Amino acid sequence: MQVYIKYILLLTLVFNVISLKAQDDLIGNTPRFTVRGSVVEQDTRNPIPNVNIQINGGLYTTTDMFGDFRIEARKGDELTIRHKDFETIYYVIQSNERIIVEVEPNNQDKKKFDKRSKRANEPQFNWYIDSAETYLKTDAQKSIQFIGDALEASNSKKENGEAYEVLGDIYMHWKQYDLAVSNYRISLQNKDTNETRLKLAKAYRFNENYQESIQEYNDINKRALSNYQLVSLYEGLGDVYKNTGESDKSIEAYNEGLKVAKKRLITPKITDLNSKIAEGYNSKGEVEEAEGYFNKSLELANTQNKKRAVEEKVKVADFKSSNNLYQSEIELRQQALEDISDIETDTILDNESPLTSQKQKYKIGKAYAQQNDFDNAIEYLEESIEEAENKSDLIVQKDATRKLSEVYRTTGDFTKALEAYQEYVDVVDKLYRKKEQEISQATRFRKDLSTKQNRITSLESDRELSESQYQLTIEQSKRQKIVIYSLIGGLFLLLLTAFLMFKYIRQQRLANNLLALKSLRSQMNPHFIFNALNSVNSFIASNDERTANRYLTDFSKLMRAVLENSEEDFIPLEKEIELLQLYTQLEHFRFQDKFDYAINVDEKIHVEDFVIPPMLLQPYIENAVWHGLRYKKEKGQLHINISQDQKDEIKITITDDGIGRKKSKALKTKNQKKQNSKGMGNIKKRVAILNDMYKDKVDVFVDDFLDAEDTGTKVVVTLKKD
């Protein structure tokens, strides 16, 4: 018997086999990938089932009824293909490209194979699938385009199933998990394989369909899985239980996977599962058990490639940090930094990676700060900030700058603390703008993918329509029934499309509202910070350093709370009251001779039952002080009353006996009028957007307070319960 492997594949790879194999031996453990292949008869292209497929590392599988197989392998592994009807084949694997093995059976055995004519478009289908996999991680749109072409060239349910599986892989890589779920399910309808079921269960997990993921994992026939697939199943099941907070079940699943991995010597999985079991015990508070498993995983990782070893060191360092073992954490992270410098000579680590040097230096700085070793903390934090700025890593730059400000404040260097804090505010502003751009880009990307998906959906519809027409020509007697069914199907598709369009428009509207809210909040915070810093400046200018320091300390507490709440649409009313007390105290601190204040909360109110938009009330208090009470000749009064007249709503009344809106407006400069108008306009826009999103939750009413020379101002905010 003669064996033919695709000549183009052989010509491009055979000259590099020996040298690449030697290099892989030096490297040691290289990453595994899935090798897809088919074994077919040369003359008829008939698939050959039950062919023995084995890797020299010990992994084993067989071809299915379609002649297809999949097996986990590394670059340089030798693939052995055995069957009683043809000579044994040996092939050295170089990549995850599809392998098509064409064999010529013995003459006496040819009758065992079904004789069919060779289909001209089968190689074309495979070429499209391979092209889609090539562009999977670099160009999603081009990859999906090739899937569409493959579906057009497809002539069987088996090929449809393979195409939709690869389409699911594309969406998984680009984190479009809902679309991945849909396409994996379509793939299983056409071709039911355990590999696709495992992928569907994983996609359910990432899409937060945890119960569906657990059900899918449990429905898979474990006896039909390869050893590697069985370990992956238990690992995936453990990951789902971890996400749902069921630590005991996750540890149990990981241990089942660990037993199989140890028995079958699947070393990388042994390391991963030891690490995950350690994380499970740590989440339960069983630190000693967690430390034992982490030590095992760290020891095993050091025998693998350097990147895997560094990943485990970082995990263990995080564990040490969570348990206040800061010196051990620092030592591990310093070791990791040395290894990262070696890794970066060959690999570019993006800012999302936990292995970046700026992240590790920031965490080392935090650990030193926890030990009150402020000199080392400042050194590492400054290095982290510099690297993060050079690499445009705004998140690390933000966190490190904020921590540096806290360290300076702790050491009593308030000047540097303030400078660092101002830099932190600037970085936060940059980060807000970047996030807005990313949201916009993600929306466009999602829209483009939806367009491509619609093309594929239309291809499927066209295929169904052509099949229906073909059936009409054969079964004339059933024509009317088929036409009716087709119309019903078309109406259903139309209704489904209309529903999806409506849902998409609602999502777009929600996204736009969220962006608008974030933009308005980002405009309000700088305005508030500017006024507060002016107060600090006035104390410094009057050489009242002690008062400035006290004011700055209270101001920093307020700012921390404000910035922590700046991402939220609503916060608990109790927290907002605390912020108002702190803010009003700061204003009274500066204008003690201008007004007294009182904050009264009805004892009947359960403040924990209500939520309120952050920074909603502060601008009204600021206006009362700065534009009403400040210009009053005698000492004024500011009252904030929170009462409950109805069961499901409360009223927050802010009153002052200042000069009133009309006099205040007459005293303002043009620039002040513009700024106030902008501030009040922002509040009105926020309330309008929030009411649109949450069904008239907030109502604001502003009027004169007194019928006197100084009319004062009264603001009534009505807040409804969820």
Side-chain angles (χ1 to χ4, degrees):
M1 287 182 288
Q2 296 179 346
V3 180
Y4 300 90
I5 300 178
K6 286 290 183 179
Y7 290 104
I8 296 176
L9 184 63
L10 278 175
L11 288 173
T12 56
L13 299 176
V14 72
F15 295 104
N16 297 315
V17 168
I18 297 175
S19 60
L20 289 172
K21 183 69 173 70
Q23 292 174 12
D24 288 344
D25 291 339
L26 291 173
I27 293 171
N29 291 323
T30 55
R32 288 182 180 270
F33 48 80
T34 301
V35 175
R36 304 166 187 250
S38 304
V39 182
V40 298
E41 185 185 1
Q42 179 190 2
D43 296 338
T44 64
R45 305 289 294 181
N46 286 344
I48 305 177
N50 299 321
V51 178
N52 299 279
I53 310 294
Q54 190 170 13
I55 292 292
N56 58 348
L59 295 179
Y60 171 84
T61 188
T62 60
T63 57
D64 59 19
M65 62 182 294
F66 304 107
D68 293 340
F69 68 88
R70 299 184 189 191
I71 194 164
E72 297 291 327
R74 296 187 182 93
K75 185 178 179 181
D77 282 350
E78 186 175 61
L79 188 68
T80 305
I81 305 168
R82 294 187 180 92
H83 193 270
K84 62 185 179 65
D85 293 327
F86 57 79
E87 206 172 286
T88 300
I89 302 164
Y90 301 93
Y91 178 71
V92 177
I93 294 171
Q94 296 301 320
S95 68
N96 62 344
E97 290 188 66
R98 177 186 298 277
I99 299 172
I100 301 178
V101 181
E102 299 176 351
V103 300
E104 182 179 350
N106 291 326
N107 292 331
Q108 63 269 28
D109 293 327
K110 284 190 178 180
K111 59 185 179 181
K112 296 180 182 178
F113 298 97
D114 180 30
K115 301 296 183 181
R116 295 186 304 182
S117 60
K118 181 178 179 181
R119 295 182 302 185
N121 63 341
E122 187 175 54
Q124 189 179 26
F125 171 84
N126 292 334
W127 184 86
Y128 285 134
I129 292 294
D130 292 340
S131 299
E133 291 179 332
T134 300
Y135 289 100
L136 188 150
K137 295 182 179 180
T138 56
D139 191 334
Q141 295 184 29
K142 185 177 289 187
S143 188
I144 295 172
Q145 178 71 38
F146 280 117
I147 292 296
D149 295 335
L151 285 169
E152 287 182 340
S154 171
N155 277 308
S156 68
K157 281 195 168 185
K158 164 187 168 284
E159 291 178 344
N160 287 348
E162 187 171 356
Y164 280 110
E165 181 188 358
V166 177
L167 185 57
D169 293 343
I170 296 168
Y171 287 128
M172 276 293 289
H173 176 77
W174 293 97
K175 300 181 181 179
Q176 306 297 313
Y177 302 123
D178 54 339
L179 294 176
V181 166
S182 300
N183 286 285
Y184 284 142
R185 293 181 64 181
I186 296 172
S187 174
L188 288 170
Q189 292 169 8
N190 288 275
K191 180 185 176 185
D192 193 345
T193 66
N194 287 324
E195 182 71 14
T196 308
R197 284 188 174 277
L198 288 170
K199 291 180 178 180
L200 175 59
K202 186 176 182 180
Y204 273 137
R205 176 170 69 86
F206 280 108
N207 202 44
E208 299 181 354
N209 298 102
Y210 298 127
Q211 295 307 312
E212 291 86 347
S213 180
I214 293 170
Q215 185 67 44
E216 192 64 36
Y217 277 125
N218 289 330
D219 288 345
I220 296 174
N221 182 8
K222 297 179 178 63
R223 294 183 179 180
L225 298 176
S226 67
N227 295 324
Y228 193 89
Q229 287 175 331
L230 187 58
V231 174
S232 298
L233 182 146
Y234 285 121
E235 183 182 14
L237 195 56
D239 291 340
V240 179
Y241 286 129
K242 176 184 175 183
N243 289 348
T244 58
E246 297 174 271
S247 299
D248 290 328
K249 288 185 177 181
S250 71
I251 292 171
E252 181 182 351
Y254 290 144
N255 273 315
E256 289 296 326
L258 185 59
K259 290 177 185 176
V260 180
K262 286 181 176 179
K263 185 177 180 180
R264 301 301 178 183
L265 300 178
I266 307 175
T267 306
K269 287 299 181 184
I270 296 174
T271 306
D272 294 341
L273 289 167
N274 271 293
S275 181
K276 290 186 175 184
I277 291 171
E279 291 175 344
Y281 278 119
N282 189 42
S283 67
K284 290 177 61 181
E286 297 179 18
V287 177
E288 291 183 4
E289 286 285 339
E291 188 170 14
Y293 278 98
F294 267 130
N295 289 336
K296 292 177 186 177
S297 66
L298 190 58
E299 182 180 351
L300 289 168
N302 286 329
T303 65
Q304 297 176 248
N305 61 74
K306 183 166 287 188
K307 185 176 181 182
R308 183 65 187 87
V310 174
E311 289 172 348
E312 200 58 32
K313 285 179 183 177
V314 170
K315 280 188 180 180
V316 177
D318 291 339
F319 162 74
K320 299 287 187 183
S321 176
S322 66
N323 290 284
N324 302 329
L325 302 172
Y326 300 117
Q327 190 56 42
S328 299
E329 177 196 0
I330 290 169
E331 291 173 3
L332 281 170
R333 293 199 192 280
Q334 287 174 338
Q335 292 174 22
L337 276 176
E338 294 177 4
D339 295 334
I340 288 170
S341 63
D342 294 335
I343 293 172
E344 287 181 330
T345 59
D346 302 321
T347 306
I348 298 175
L349 299 174
D350 59 49
N351 290 335
E352 299 295 325
S353 171
L355 305 183
T356 60
S357 58
Q358 63 266 27
K359 280 190 178 74
Q360 298 310 310
K361 289 180 179 179
Y362 161 63
K363 292 182 179 181
I364 292 173
K366 278 182 64 179
Y368 273 125
Q370 293 291 340
Q371 293 181 315
N372 294 328
D373 187 350
F374 299 118
D375 290 337
N376 280 320
I378 291 170
E379 179 183 353
Y380 275 97
L381 289 172
E382 287 178 343
E383 289 180 9
S384 173
I385 293 168
E386 183 178 357
E387 285 193 29
E389 185 175 8
N390 291 336
K391 296 178 181 178
S392 299
D393 190 348
L394 291 176
I395 293 179
V396 173
Q397 187 181 356
K398 169 182 72 73
D399 294 338
T401 306
R402 178 175 177 176
K403 191 64 183 178
L404 183 62
S405 175
E406 293 174 358
V407 171
Y408 278 133
R409 187 184 64 191
T410 304
T411 59
D413 194 342
F414 295 106
T415 301
K416 289 187 177 180
L418 179 58
E419 291 175 357
Y421 198 86
Q422 289 171 337
E423 292 175 5
Y424 164 75
V425 172
D426 291 339
V427 175
V428 169
D429 188 48
K430 291 179 184 177
L431 187 58
Y432 280 158
R433 293 198 298 270
K434 182 181 178 182
K435 290 296 182 183
E436 290 173 357
Q437 293 172 357
E438 288 175 353
I439 291 172
S440 177
Q441 292 169 358
T443 302
R444 290 197 299 270
F445 180 75
R446 176 78 178 187
K447 185 177 180 181
D448 292 338
L449 291 187
S450 298
T451 302
K452 296 292 183 183
Q453 180 68 28
N454 289 338
R455 173 179 177 263
I456 291 174
T457 303
S458 67
L459 286 174
E460 192 68 14
S461 300
D462 292 340
R463 187 190 305 279
E464 292 174 359
L465 182 59
S466 63
E467 289 177 358
S468 298
Q469 291 174 346
Y470 177 73
Q471 291 297 326
L472 283 172
T473 61
I474 296 176
E475 302 178 19
Q476 189 70 28
S477 61
K478 299 180 181 180
R479 178 174 295 176
Q480 291 181 345
K481 186 181 292 186
I482 293 175
V483 169
I484 293 172
Y485 288 158
S486 298
L487 290 173
I488 293 174
L491 179 61
F492 173 78
L493 286 174
L494 183 62
L495 292 173
L496 180 62
T497 302
F499 171 74
L500 292 175
M501 288 288 291
F502 173 74
K503 186 176 180 181
Y504 174 76
I505 291 170
R506 286 189 63 186
Q507 290 174 342
Q508 285 290 99
R509 185 178 178 184
L510 176 61
N512 290 337
N513 283 341
L514 291 174
L515 283 174
L517 282 175
K518 186 177 290 186
S519 175
L520 291 171
R521 287 196 296 263
S522 67
Q523 292 176 32
M524 293 180 70
N525 287 338
H527 177 68
F528 165 68
I529 294 169
F530 176 80
N531 286 338
L533 290 178
N534 274 343
S535 299
V536 177
N537 186 50
S538 67
F539 289 129
I540 294 174
S542 61
N543 293 321
D544 193 353
E545 184 177 349
R546 178 175 297 178
T547 304
N549 285 337
R550 284 182 56 196
Y551 189 94
L552 185 59
T553 299
D554 290 343
F555 167 69
S556 65
K557 292 179 183 177
L558 178 61
M559 276 310 303
R560 175 181 292 180
V562 169
L563 291 174
E564 285 175 351
N565 297 329
S566 62
E567 286 290 327
E568 304 294 332
D569 293 339
F570 290 91
I571 63 172
L573 178 62
E574 186 178 39
K575 186 177 290 187
E576 179 72 1
I577 292 172
E578 293 175 1
L579 292 177
L580 288 180
Q581 289 173 336
L582 186 54
Y583 172 76
T584 310
Q585 178 182 331
L586 288 173
E587 293 291 23
H588 183 258
F589 192 72
R590 184 177 179 191
F591 299 111
Q592 294 182 22
D593 59 334
K594 289 296 184 179
F595 74 98
D596 288 325
Y597 72 96
I599 300 176
N600 300 313
V601 182
D602 192 342
E603 295 179 354
K604 299 177 182 178
I605 299 175
H606 298 286
V607 291
E608 64 273 11
D609 294 341
F610 292 88
V611 292
I612 187 170
M615 295 289 287
L616 180 68
L617 302 176
Q618 179 272 333
Y620 293 113
I621 298 173
E622 181 179 342
N623 278 350
V625 174
W626 284 75
H627 304 299
L629 296 169
R630 186 170 61 141
Y631 297 108
K632 189 176 177 66
K633 295 179 181 178
E634 60 273 11
K635 197 169 188 178
Q637 296 293 324
L638 172 65
H639 291 282
I640 302 168
N641 295 310
I642 302 176
S643 59
Q644 185 173 11
D645 297 329
Q646 299 184 26
K647 182 179 179 181
D648 294 327
E649 69 179 38
I650 61 172
K651 286 187 178 181
I652 304 169
T653 306
I654 302 169
T655 59
D656 70 86
D657 59 355
I659 63 174
R661 293 175 295 169
K662 187 179 293 184
K663 285 187 178 181
S664 175
K665 187 175 182 181
L667 290 174
K668 289 179 184 176
T669 64
K670 290 183 179 180
N671 186 51
Q672 287 175 328
K673 290 177 181 179
K674 181 178 179 181
Q675 290 179 349
N676 183 55
S677 176
K678 183 177 180 181
M680 290 295 99
N682 283 350
I683 297 173
K684 291 179 181 178
K685 290 177 183 177
R686 285 183 69 198
V687 170
I689 292 173
L690 289 168
N691 284 335
D692 182 55
M693 294 171 64
Y694 299 101
K695 298 181 180 179
D696 298 325
K697 188 178 181 66
V698 182
D699 182 55
V700 180
F701 173 77
V702 182
D703 199 1
D704 292 338
F705 177 49
L706 300 171
D707 187 12
E709 180 179 354
D710 290 340
T711 60
T713 305
K714 178 180 180 181
V715 179
V716 180
V717 178
T718 304
L719 193 66
K720 297 180 181 178
K721 189 188 294 187
D722 289 334

